[in-house]
Amino acid sequence: MVSSFSEKTLLSDDEYDIEIPAGIASDAYYDSQLSPMRAAIRRFLLPFVRSETPILHAMQLKVRHPVLDVYFTMTAFSGNHTFFMIALPVLFWFGFSEIARGFTLIAAMGVYWAGFFKDYLCLPRPLSPPIVRLSRSKSTCLEYGFPSSHSTNAVSVALFLYCHLLTTDPASWSPYTRELSILGLIIYAISIVYGRLYCGMHSITDCVGGSIIGISIWAVQWTFRHTIEYYMVSPIWWVPPLVIATGILMVSIIPDPVDDCPCFDDCVAFIAVIMGLIPASIHFASTSYSSNYPVAATIPYSTDLGVVKSVLRLVFGVGTLFVWRLMAKKLLYVLLPPVYKLFSLPYRPHFIPASTYNTLSTYPIGKVPSVIDLPSMSGNAEIVGLQSAMDVHEKYSLQAAAAEANAQAGVRARKGHTSPHEEFNMEEKSPLLDHHHYHQHRPHRDSSVASNDSTLCGDSDSGHGNGYMVREKDGAFVSRFEDEAEALLRVERMHPPKSRFDVDIVSKLVVYAGIGALAVDGIPILFELVGLGAPTVRF
């Protein structure tokens, strides 16, 4: 438990290892870190995000139910990047290559552009408390809020599959099957988008922004789908180098976030998959292992393989990807650090530069693939309190703005220029800072981290956090920044920062490009060699 301000020794800003006093004036921290354009757009959107927090809080109090909690936290899994990284190879290996290529492109662009704008604008999620966040993955809270990547993916994928349903021959469907499939897509999209609001993970503005991006991605992909498909499988020499160069460019222009947001990792992973998938699809189309029916570069599959061989096909394919990732990353962790040191290559903020370490040969690789962090499917998914640096900055920025507004109202009152309406506003508390209603409705917790995966951190029960300038008796202004620093340290203790090395950028590009290439080229050929292949169909 953090002691009160009067009981602790005052520490300097340097001792907190934070570059500038964050939150000592309304939004000053982000304004100082962002370019004028980024800061201006952020200031425009921020009031919308903040004004919706009381609305979402009121909605949670009215509609939350244990059954709905489980439903929306579970369905959220089918709208994130983890689900797509698992589902896409399966589509390829079981004969849906054309849909899988379009699906992969849709998913990659959704993850990339949602992550791009998250890091560009650095907008917070709805503040908790009063919001109760519901998530099976605690790392999700570490990302920025706008736009909602779940909404982007759900809307673009639902529209993509809906259009495919409309363009298929009705005679190929059993009665009502297509109608039920369309209904399922509608339920899927609504569940994901509304579920982000229900779970307190996003504001309405976040979901609208994400949906607009999703519609835009779908519109471009569907309009030019035949042209895109042609260049993804045709033996045109300049397509692979163009795809690789474009991928490197897209990764290089991702803006630097103010906080340690993990969105960049997923952006790199999906762009790398496209960089590997398109050249490999072009190569596979030219081999004798490929079927050209119904489209070129189709991976042969037949139900005649039976259940056992089909399951073995999946296990073998996924296992091959795991082995590739483990071996490739281990090798790159040995080869890349000396190269980075020799050429003093640049690195992104929040990444550890090679100049500070000798080797990564003994560093653990972690989960496989690294982008997949399967959420816990059991236990309570409630997350309450400040979970990231951006949450802390948002809380103290709001407190600073409220203190400034109250000070100005007090000056007007002393001058005798206060109207009855202004007098009422002076006594009002911000709905984002008044937690009395929240504490009346949440269960009592004795510690900062509650049981059943329900996390509580950063509450303002202690009442000593100000985060703005205060006037001492001698008239001097003194920063109350030390309270915000304490909150940042509490958050860091609860979510220790994951080590991210500068070489991870290149290693992710290589590893996930390899995953994309193996999924559509190497593994289908291995299926034939190990007896899990199906007859090719060529005309």
Side-chain angles (χ1 to χ4, degrees), residues 84-94 314 318 321 515 519:
F84 298 125
M85 290 294 289
I86 296 173
L88 291 173
V90 176
L91 288 175
F92 280 107
W93 298 336
F94 288 88
L314 177 62
V318 172
L321 294 179
I515 289 176

Side-chain angles (χ1 to χ4, degrees), residues 165 170 172-184:
L165 290 174
S172 63
W173 294 83
S174 59
Y176 306 114
T177 302
R178 185 160 69 167
E179 287 75 11
L180 289 175
S181 299
I182 293 173
L183 178 61

Side-chain angles (χ1 to χ4, degrees), residues 7-237:
E7 296 173 338
K8 66 178 183 292
T9 303
L10 182 64
L11 301 180
S12 67
D13 293 352
D14 291 339
E15 291 178 84
Y16 283 104
D17 194 26
I18 298 171
E19 294 182 358
I20 65 171
I24 61 174
S26 180
D27 305 317
Y29 179 61
Y30 286 95
D31 285 349
S32 68
Q33 300 295 301
L34 301 175
S35 68
M37 177 65 74
R38 292 172 68 182
I41 299 175
R42 186 179 188 276
R43 284 196 301 271
F44 173 77
L45 291 173
L46 189 57
F48 295 99
V49 175
R50 286 176 172 170
S51 66
E52 292 163 9
T53 298
I55 299 173
L56 298 178
H57 176 47
M59 181 198 71
Q60 282 191 330
L61 292 176
K62 290 181 180 179
V63 305
R64 273 196 65 188
H65 187 276
V67 174
L68 293 178
D69 286 0
V70 174
Y71 174 77
F72 284 118
T73 54
M74 296 293 282
T75 54
F77 175 68
S78 63
N80 66 7
H81 58 271
T82 305
F83 171 78
F84 298 125
M85 290 294 289
I86 296 173
L88 291 173
V90 176
L91 288 175
F92 280 107
W93 298 336
F94 288 88
F96 300 98
S97 294
E98 181 183 18
I99 293 178
R101 280 190 288 270
F103 202 144
T104 303
L105 191 60
I106 284 275
M109 292 299 100
V111 170
Y112 175 82
W113 287 113
F116 181 97
F117 286 111
K118 281 177 187 283
D119 284 351
Y120 186 83
L121 296 173
C122 304
L123 284 162
R125 293 181 183 272
L127 192 60
S128 173
I131 294 295
V132 176
R133 294 172 180 167
L134 304 173
S135 177
R136 300 285 170 177
S137 175
K138 293 182 176 66
S139 63
T140 305
C141 296
L142 306 181
E143 298 180 1
Y144 291 115
F146 180 92
S148 165
S149 55
H150 276 76
S151 300
T152 298
N153 294 331
V155 170
S156 60
V157 166
L159 288 172
F160 174 75
L161 296 178
Y162 171 74
C163 289
H164 267 288
L165 290 174
L166 293 184
T167 55
T168 56
D169 183 6
S172 63
W173 294 83
S174 59
Y176 306 114
T177 302
R178 185 160 69 167
E179 287 75 11
L180 289 175
S181 299
I182 293 173
L183 178 61
L185 289 175
I186 294 173
I187 294 174
Y188 164 76
I190 293 176
S191 296
I192 299 299
V193 177
Y194 175 72
R196 295 292 83 196
L197 305 177
Y198 177 93
C199 292
M201 299 302 294
H202 286 285
S203 66
I204 300 171
T205 301
D206 297 342
C207 292
V208 170
S211 299
I212 291 173
I213 294 174
I215 292 171
S216 302
I217 292 171
W218 159 78
V220 172
Q221 198 279 338
W222 189 257
T223 301
F224 301 102
R225 66 189 184 282
H226 297 304
T227 302
I228 294 172
E229 173 69 12
Y230 172 77
Y231 284 111
M232 290 182 81
V233 297
S234 298
I236 303 174
W237 69 268

Side-chain angles (χ1 to χ4, degrees), residues 481-537:
F481 156 64
E482 63 279 358
D483 294 320
E484 181 171 359
E486 284 183 353
L488 288 168
L489 292 173
R490 280 202 307 273
V491 166
E492 185 172 327
R493 284 194 295 268
M494 187 175 64
H495 293 291
K498 176 186 174 182
S499 297
R500 301 160 79 195
F501 304 97
D502 50 2
V503 299
D504 279 331
I505 301 173
V506 175
S507 65
K508 277 184 181 293
L509 285 173
V510 174
V511 169
Y512 283 94
I515 289 176
L518 283 171
V520 301
D521 193 1
I523 291 176
I525 295 175
L526 290 176
F527 285 158
E528 293 291 332
L529 299 179
V530 299
L532 297 175
T536 58
V537 180

Side-chain angles (χ1 to χ4, degrees), residues 16 48 52 61-62 180 212 248 271 273 278 283 328 349 369 371 379 386-387 390 402 437 498 509 522 533 539:
Y16 283 104
F48 295 99
E52 292 163 9
L61 292 176
K62 290 181 180 179
L180 289 175
I212 291 173
I248 294 174
I271 292 300
V273 167
I278 294 178
H283 173 264
V371 76
L386 308 179
Q387 302 294 312
M390 71 194 78
H437 191 216
K498 176 186 174 182
L509 285 173
F539 293 99

